[in-house]
Structure formats: C-alpha cells, structure tokens
C-alpha cells in the first residue's frame, strides 16, 4: 500500500511527487513511457519560451548559460531533480483503470511493455497524465500514411523534399523555418485568414521573409481534405480545391488530454465532458482522495495549463493530503 500514487511522470507529476516525498509520504510514480516523455517528444533543438526559473521544481535551481533553456537541458534537469529527491518511478507502465475501493483507498490496474498486468494500491491518487501523446487527428483520407506525422523532431529527413505543414501556430512556423534551412520547400496550410497572433515577435518577420522568397507557399483560409502518397488536396473556404505535389506532411494540429482514467474512476465532468470538476484550492476531485494535476485539469484548450503553472498544483495537493493523514 502506497501513501500516494501519481500517474504521469512529467514535470507536474514530478513536482507533486517531490512535495509528497518532502512531507514524508511513501510515493510512487507510474509512467506510461519514459520520464518527462512530453519534453522528450519536443523538437530536438527546441528552445523554451520560458526562463529557467519558471520551469524549476522542488526548489532546485535550473542552471543554463542561456536566457531560455533548450530541450536537452530540461531533460537533464528533470532527471537530476528525480535523482536528487530519490523519486520512485515505474516507467513503461500504463495505468489502465483507477478503481475507488470501499475503504476509501484505490486500486490501479496497470500493464507494462511486456504485457504483464499488475495492480497497485494507494491511499491517495494524483492524475497528472498530460496530453502530448494524444494528437488532434484531422479525420481525413490518407492521414494514416507513413508520410504523415503529428510530431516534428528535426529537419534533416526532409532535405530537398516537398513538405506540407498543417497549422499556423508557433510549432508550425518553427518547423517550417527549420525545414526550409535544409533545402526543402514548404507549403503551409492554415484555416485562418492570418497566422496565429501568438507567433513569437522575433520569428514572424523571418517567416514572412521566407514566404516572400518563395521558400514557403502560404495557403490561408484553407484546409487539407485528403492526403495521397504523392499529393495533398486542399479545399479553400470558398469551396475551391487545389492539389499540391508532396513528399511529407507535418500535421501540427495540437494535442488533447485523454480523460478515460478520469471518467473510469467516476470523476464528474463539465456539461460538455471537457473538463473535470475539482476544488481549485486543493485540486481534489469529487472522488475523495483522487486529485488532478497539470494539463489534465484544463479544458478543451490544453494551453490553459503550462509547466509554469501546473508545477504549483503538487504543493496544493501534498499539503491537503498531509493534513488529512495527520488526522
């Protein structure tokens, strides 16, 4: 019997584990993949928008020579934080169901990558499962082709290719610029009449310069309606269609949390089934002893919660659990 089981070993889950461990609670993290898997999936050379101070957990300083840290530095930092606090992490283990028991404790059904099933028990459970392994699919013919991906890692595989980037956010623009630098031509397809207003101010003019040079062809007020092995079909808002010769597709369409664990445990959802109901002061759901932390607590817009804010959830939760156990 664990005092606390945390499902998800991202930055928010690690932060919660640190706070629970500091208060003397026997804590176990269960992680579907590797620790901070979402950051591992970021583009290889990605630089954060945030300063290192805003990514820190457990009062451990995040040292970097840069104003804003890079992905590889964050991976090293969170590994160091887990090691410093001697956190117990069970990686490559998927939590399939959280079952509240009659005595107020919980049973967590899991399976590992070898197909071995195991049940863990805990007095309290924190769901911190994030969202980055659940892309928003387009639901169009051809999306299942090998040439299509929802994750951009690095530009090298696309050298000299014709690449279609779907989306108009920072991630789409950053990917397009990196791909252009290796000699690829980019067609960017976006449903809006202009790119997102949140594009980084220092990046927008660079991107617009690539459009003017003809290295990026911008298709606004458009959406991809079909993908074939050698082409992409787009439909404009006025109903006109066009065909683009194409080698690869990057669908930078965002991600969403998977709420199956929430609903299977009996957590009440908002009227549109979009957001779990919880106490803002303690992060406890309607199920006593079952908490939400990080982006899983957000609504349809996963950008409501970032590392900068989600890392604070663990402190609220740990203090609430500690007070309950003290009684």
């Amino acid at each position: 019997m664990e005092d606390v089981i945390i499902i998800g070993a991202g930055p928010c889950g690690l932060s919660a584990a640190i706070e629970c461990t500091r208060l003397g609670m026997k804590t176990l993290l269960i992680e579907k993949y590797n620790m901070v898997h979402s950051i591992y999936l970021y583009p290889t050379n990605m630089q954060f928008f945030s300063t290192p101070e805003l990514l820190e957990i457990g009062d451990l300083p995040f040292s970097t020579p840069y104003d804003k840290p890079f992905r590889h530095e964050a991976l090293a930092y969170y590994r160091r934080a887990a090691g410093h606090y001697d956190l117990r992490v069970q990686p490559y283990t998927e939590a399939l169901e959280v079952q509240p028991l009659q005595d107020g404790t919980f049973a967590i059904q899991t399976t590992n990558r070898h197909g071995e099933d195991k049940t863990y028990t805990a007095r309290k459970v924190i769901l911190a499962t994030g969202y980055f392994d659940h892309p928003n699919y387009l639901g169009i013919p051809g999306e299942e082709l090998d040439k299509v991906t929802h994750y951009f890692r690095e530009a090298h595989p696309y050298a000299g290719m014709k690449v279609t980037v779907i989306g108009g956010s920072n991630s789409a623009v950053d990917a397009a610029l990196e791909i252009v630098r290796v000699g690829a031509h980019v067609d960017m397809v976006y449903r809006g009449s202009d790119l997102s207003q949140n594009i980084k101010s220092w990046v927008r003019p660079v991107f617009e310069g690539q459009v003017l040079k003809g290295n990026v062809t911008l298709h606004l007020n458009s959406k991809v309606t079909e993908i074939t092995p050698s082409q992409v079909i787009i439909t404009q808002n006025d109903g006109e269609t066009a065909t683009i010769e194409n080698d690869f597709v990057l669908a930078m369409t965002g991600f969403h949390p998977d709420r199956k664990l929430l609903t299977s445990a009996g957590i009440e959802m908002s009227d549109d089934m979009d957001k779990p109901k919880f106490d803002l002061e303690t992060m406890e759901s309607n199920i006593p002893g079952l908490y939400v932390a990080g982006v899983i607590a957000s609504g349809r817009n996963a950008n409501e919660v970032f590392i900068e804010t989600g890392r604070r959830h663990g402190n609220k939760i740990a203090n609430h659990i500690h007070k309950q156990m003290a009684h």
Side-chain angles (χ1 to χ4, degrees), residues 257-291:
D258 181 6
R259 308 198 191 280
K260 289 197 295 289
L261 276 180
L262 299 177
T263 55
S264 71
I267 292 180
E268 293 180 4
M269 305 294 286
S270 58
D271 291 339
D272 59 0
M273 297 299 291
D274 180 52
K275 189 173 184 176
K277 294 182 179 180
F278 60 92
D279 187 315
L280 286 171
E281 296 302 315
T282 66
M283 307 303 293
E284 188 176 32
S285 72
N286 60 288
I287 305 294
L290 184 54
Y291 300 79

Side-chain angles (χ1 to χ4, degrees), residues 135-169:
N136 296 324
Y137 290 109
L138 298 164
I140 60 173
E143 189 173 14
E144 75 286 351
L145 293 172
D146 289 342
K147 65 186 276 187
V148 182
T149 180
H150 290 264
Y151 298 94
F152 172 68
R153 303 308 301 272
E154 55 184 325
H156 178 74
Y158 307 111
M161 298 286 102
K162 297 184 179 81
V163 182
T164 297
V165 176
I166 304 173
S169 64

Side-chain angles (χ1 to χ4, degrees), residues 105-126:
T105 63
F106 298 88
I108 298 93
Q109 311 294 333
T110 73
T111 187
N112 64 19
R113 59 179 175 165
H114 306 299
E116 299 165 340
D117 297 332
K118 184 174 180 179
T119 300
Y120 294 86
T121 54
R123 293 180 174 84
K124 310 289 181 181
V125 173
I126 303 171

